[in-house]
Amino acid sequence: MSKHSRAFKQSVVEFYLRGNDGYGKVGAEFGIDHSTVLKWVAIYEAHGVAGLSKKFSSYDAEFKLSVLKRMWEDGLSCRQTAALFNIRNEGCLWDLERRYEIGGIDALAPRRRGRPRTVPEPPLPKQPQAPQNDETKSRAELLAELNYLRMENAYLKKLEALTREQPAPRKRKSSRR
């Protein structure tokens, strides 16, 4: 939920527009920062009451690029640009500008939100290959398979011999203290 309701924002803006007080005095009157009053007034003047309501949105890369171009061409500040395009957080324009300078328009594409996954996604299961018949295999393939099977057999024999040599672990007597 927003920290301030739409009605509260509207009352602050109307109070500012009715009086001769500056942003600082209006902000002190309502207990908010003067820059917040400035932002609300700019949004109200550009978009009316609808600009003060809560807004959730995501923008595509083309829209972000058009916002940046407009800001650069007209020499607008981030706050002015945010008010013009009804973007709630003018600080994101700094981030968009930096990302565009580093990576171009591809860097402006919507990003996945949240913390990155720590566990990689499991690989797609490979389609099993049809087993080849021994007659269709080449001599080199048959020799490689024979060599692999011989190594596997030797390993299993060695493992069995080692497990026979090891005595069973002794059970420890529990000590009474």
Side-chain angles (χ1 to χ4, degrees):
M1 184 172 165
S2 178
K3 186 174 180 180
H4 303 288
S5 67
R6 185 190 53 79
F8 176 76
K9 293 176 186 178
Q10 188 174 355
S11 65
V12 170
V13 169
E14 289 172 354
F15 184 83
Y16 172 78
L17 294 175
R18 274 195 312 261
N20 294 329
D21 295 334
Y23 296 116
K25 282 192 174 185
V26 173
E29 178 78 25
F30 286 94
I32 56 176
D33 188 43
H34 68 90
S35 63
T36 306
V37 176
L38 174 71
K39 179 171 69 170
W40 290 348
V41 169
I43 288 174
Y44 182 81
E45 288 174 345
H47 302 285
V49 179
L52 298 176
S53 61
K54 199 171 186 178
K55 177 182 173 187
F56 294 104
S57 59
S58 61
Y59 306 109
D60 60 348
E62 289 79 22
F63 176 76
K64 293 175 184 177
L65 184 60
S66 68
V67 168
L68 289 176
K69 284 183 178 179
R70 177 77 183 269
M71 183 172 79
W72 296 329
E73 289 169 358
D74 295 348
L76 301 173
S77 68
C78 287
R79 179 173 286 158
Q80 292 168 332
T81 308
L84 182 66
F85 287 97
N86 200 13
I87 298 173
R88 297 291 186 240
N89 182 9
E90 70 267 1
C92 73
L93 294 175
W94 290 104
D95 183 50
L96 287 178
E97 191 172 23
R98 181 185 54 80
R99 286 192 346 222
Y100 180 75
E101 289 172 357
I102 292 172
I105 192 164
D106 294 333
L108 297 179
R111 298 178 293 174
R112 192 172 187 176
R113 298 183 65 92
R115 189 173 179 165
R117 301 180 106 193
T118 56
V119 179
E121 293 187 19
L124 296 173
K126 295 180 182 177
Q127 294 179 353
Q129 295 179 352
Q132 287 184 328
N133 194 354
D134 286 341
E135 288 83 30
T136 60
K137 291 182 181 177
S138 69
R139 177 174 168 76
E141 290 175 328
L142 288 171
L143 288 175
E145 184 179 356
L146 178 63
N147 191 25
Y148 176 79
L149 292 173
R150 284 181 179 166
M151 286 190 301
E152 185 179 17
N153 195 11
Y155 176 78
L156 293 174
K157 284 182 181 179
K158 184 70 172 179
L159 180 64
E160 185 180 347
L162 287 174
T163 55
R164 283 188 189 165
E165 287 178 8
Q166 291 179 350
R170 296 184 312 172
K171 291 187 177 179
R172 297 181 122 193
K173 293 182 180 179
S174 62
S175 60
R176 292 185 182 178
R177 290 193 180 202

